[in-house]
């Protein structure tokens, strides 16, 4: 066990991981973590039919927060009752149960009622609980693959979902993988709004990739996998009510980077959701309202990403010339970089004995996914308003 992993499990992991280790889990090849709130049993039934179900441990975190709507609380109890009626109980440690569901082995972790999650921690804490348990079980040898798969109840996992270790030269070094995805089904207005949102997510990754960003990926908690040791090194999912996937990937990208498995495509049900304050569900609801009012769908102006590419290629000039190097950029980009704190960053690096390569690495880590997002939004506000999207493929 590495020092980072040992320290994480001892000092930062959620307590449920100790309960999992005490249960008689049959060794499995893969582990997938799914938080469930206000769901129905069909996603578990679907997963039990996956070709790799016999090799899979599902860590299912049934959760609600302390201010969840009554219908969420009631449906969670309906879900639990239906699951236990069809599953065989193998063992139990407090609020963690080991179940056999057809060919699927399930660790059911209940964070409901008196164990409900704090309102501002929500799905981030639910994912952290599950991933912490997965980390401990991989370390124990109960799960053989070093990859923790993160998904959601509305995701349909393809047959090749667990093929990360096959024919992929990058997989040995990447900290995490993101998967391709496509939304399916849904009522007409929801389906259309979801296609527009999906277009934006794919466009985001492509535009960042063309700009040369280290953070060229989409952030979907239902479409990623990460190495358990890298996960421990960055101290796991942040305890947030939303965007926990964005911040985890932002940290993992600074280790060994994020790879993209284009050939592994997850189908995600198109649906509205009130489970999180922002993300896919609320964004789709907003687009539905815009469509109802006859407003056009807009996306970031392409000129922003041209400016971003100039910024990302500036590291050699910044190393040699300092702040004077930004004068080659447009005024709006100069202002945005100053607002981001470029002067403080350069002042700090000037005190170090950087080589050009180490300076470039520190610049990439400073101008991370969060700084990139803020830069793009600053340019959108100041100079390049959103443009209409005339057609969506």
């Amino acid at each position: 066990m590495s020092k980072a992993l040992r320290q994480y499990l001892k000092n930062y992991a959620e307590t449920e991981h100790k309960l999992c280790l005490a249960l008689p889990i049959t060794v499995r090849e893969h582990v997938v973590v799914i938080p469930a709130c206000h769901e129905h049993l069909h996603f578990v039934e679907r997963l039990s039919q996956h070709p790799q179900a016999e090799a899979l441990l599902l860590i299912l975190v049934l959760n609600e927060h302390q201010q969840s709507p009554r219908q969420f609380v009631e449906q969670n109890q309906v879900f639990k009752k239906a699951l236990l009626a069809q599953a065989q109980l193998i063992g139990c440690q407090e609020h963690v149960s080991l179940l056999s569901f057809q060919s699927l082995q399930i660790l059911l972790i209940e964070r409901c009622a008196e164990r409900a999650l704090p309102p501002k921690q929500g799905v981030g804490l639910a994912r952290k609980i599950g991933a912490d348990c997965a980390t401990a079980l991989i370390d124990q040898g109960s799960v053989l693959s070093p990859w923790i798969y993160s998904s959601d109840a509305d995701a349909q996992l393809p047959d090749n979902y667990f093929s990360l270790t096959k024919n992929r030269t990058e997989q040995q070094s990447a900290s995490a993988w993101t998967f391709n995805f496509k939304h399916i089904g849904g009522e007409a207005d929801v389906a259309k709004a979801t296609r527009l949102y999906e277009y934006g997510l794919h466009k985001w990754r492509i535009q960042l990739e063309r700009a040369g960003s280290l953070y060229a990926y989409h952030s979907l908690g239902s479409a990623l996998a990460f190495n358990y040791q890298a996960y421990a090194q960055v101290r796991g999912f942040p305890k947030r009510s939303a965007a926990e996937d964005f911040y985890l990937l932002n940290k993992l990208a600074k280790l060994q980077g994020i790879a993209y498995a284009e050939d592994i495509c997850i189908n995600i049900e198109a649906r509205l959701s009130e489970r999180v304050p922002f993300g896919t569900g609320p964004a789709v609801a907003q687009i539905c309202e815009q469509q109802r009012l006859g407003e056009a769908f807009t996306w970031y102006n392409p000129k922003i990403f041209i400016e971003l590419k100039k910024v990302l290629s500036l590291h050699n000039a910044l190393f040699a010339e300092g702040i004077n190097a930004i004068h080659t950029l447009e005024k709006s980009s100069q202002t945005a970089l100053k607002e981001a704190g470029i002067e403080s960053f350069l002042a700090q690096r000037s005190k170090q004995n950087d080589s050009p390569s180490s300076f470039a690495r520190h610049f990439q880590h400073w101008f991370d996914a969060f700084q990139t997002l803020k830069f793009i939004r600053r340019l959108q506000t100041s100079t390049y308003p959103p443009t209409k999207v005339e057609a969506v493929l």
Side-chain angles (χ1 to χ4, degrees), residues 169-361:
T169 56
E170 313 102 306
Q171 69 89 21
Q172 294 296 333
S173 59
S175 298
W177 285 82
T178 60
F179 302 114
N180 197 358
F181 65 94
K182 181 180 181 181
H183 288 88
I184 60 172
E187 298 180 1
D189 58 337
V190 174
K192 181 179 179 181
T194 305
R195 285 197 302 272
L196 292 170
Y197 182 70
E198 178 183 300
Y199 165 87
L201 291 176
H202 286 301
K203 190 71 171 177
W204 176 261
R205 183 189 65 80
I206 292 169
Q207 287 177 312
L208 288 182
E209 185 175 69
R210 290 174 178 170
S213 174
L214 180 68
Y215 308 93
Y217 48 77
H218 47 252
S219 303
L220 283 178
S222 57
L224 70 131
F226 42 88
N227 179 277
Y228 81 109
Q229 293 202 52
Y231 172 82
Q233 191 172 341
V234 300
R235 297 186 181 177
F237 274 108
K239 301 178 185 180
R240 300 174 56 93
S241 58
E244 75 290 342
D245 40 18
F246 174 87
Y247 286 99
L248 176 68
L249 287 170
N250 189 34
K251 292 186 290 184
L252 290 172
K254 298 174 185 179
L255 296 182
Q256 298 296 328
I258 310 297
Y260 178 52
E262 186 173 10
D263 63 310
I264 301 178
C265 186
I266 298 172
N267 287 334
I268 304 175
E269 298 171 21
R271 63 182 186 178
L272 299 178
S273 175
E274 299 176 353
R275 294 168 180 80
V276 295
F278 55 91
T280 302
V284 169
Q286 182 180 2
I287 296 171
C288 281
E289 180 63 13
Q290 290 174 338
Q291 297 291 299
R292 188 185 68 81
L293 296 173
E295 299 175 0
F297 177 72
T298 60
W299 188 245
Y300 296 107
N301 192 309
K303 293 181 180 179
I304 292 177
F305 295 90
I306 295 173
E307 282 301 296
L308 176 63
K309 185 173 184 177
K310 294 177 183 177
V311 170
L312 295 176
S313 62
L314 204 62
H315 54 85
N316 286 332
L318 286 169
F319 176 76
E321 305 170 28
I323 194 63
N324 290 331
I326 73 170
H327 294 157
T328 60
L329 301 173
E330 291 190 7
K331 289 291 185 182
S332 58
S333 296
Q334 295 182 39
T335 300
L337 280 177
K338 289 179 179 179
E339 290 175 352
I342 183 68
E343 291 167 312
S344 295
F345 166 78
L346 291 173
Q348 182 184 34
R349 297 319 310 167
S350 68
K351 299 175 184 177
Q352 310 300 319
N353 188 25
D354 280 336
S355 64
S357 60
S358 65
F359 178 89
R361 184 178 67 255

Side-chain angles (χ1 to χ4, degrees), residues 10-22:
K10 179 181 178 181
N11 300 321
Y12 303 103
E14 303 304 310
T15 57
E16 282 85 359
H17 84 277
K18 298 179 181 179
L19 302 178
C20 293
L21 294 177

Side-chain angles (χ1 to χ4, degrees), residues 31 133-148 228:
V31 60
C133 292
T135 298
L137 291 169
I138 294 172
D139 177 62
Q140 185 189 54
S142 295
V143 176
L144 301 179
S145 171
W147 296 102
I148 299 173
Y228 81 109

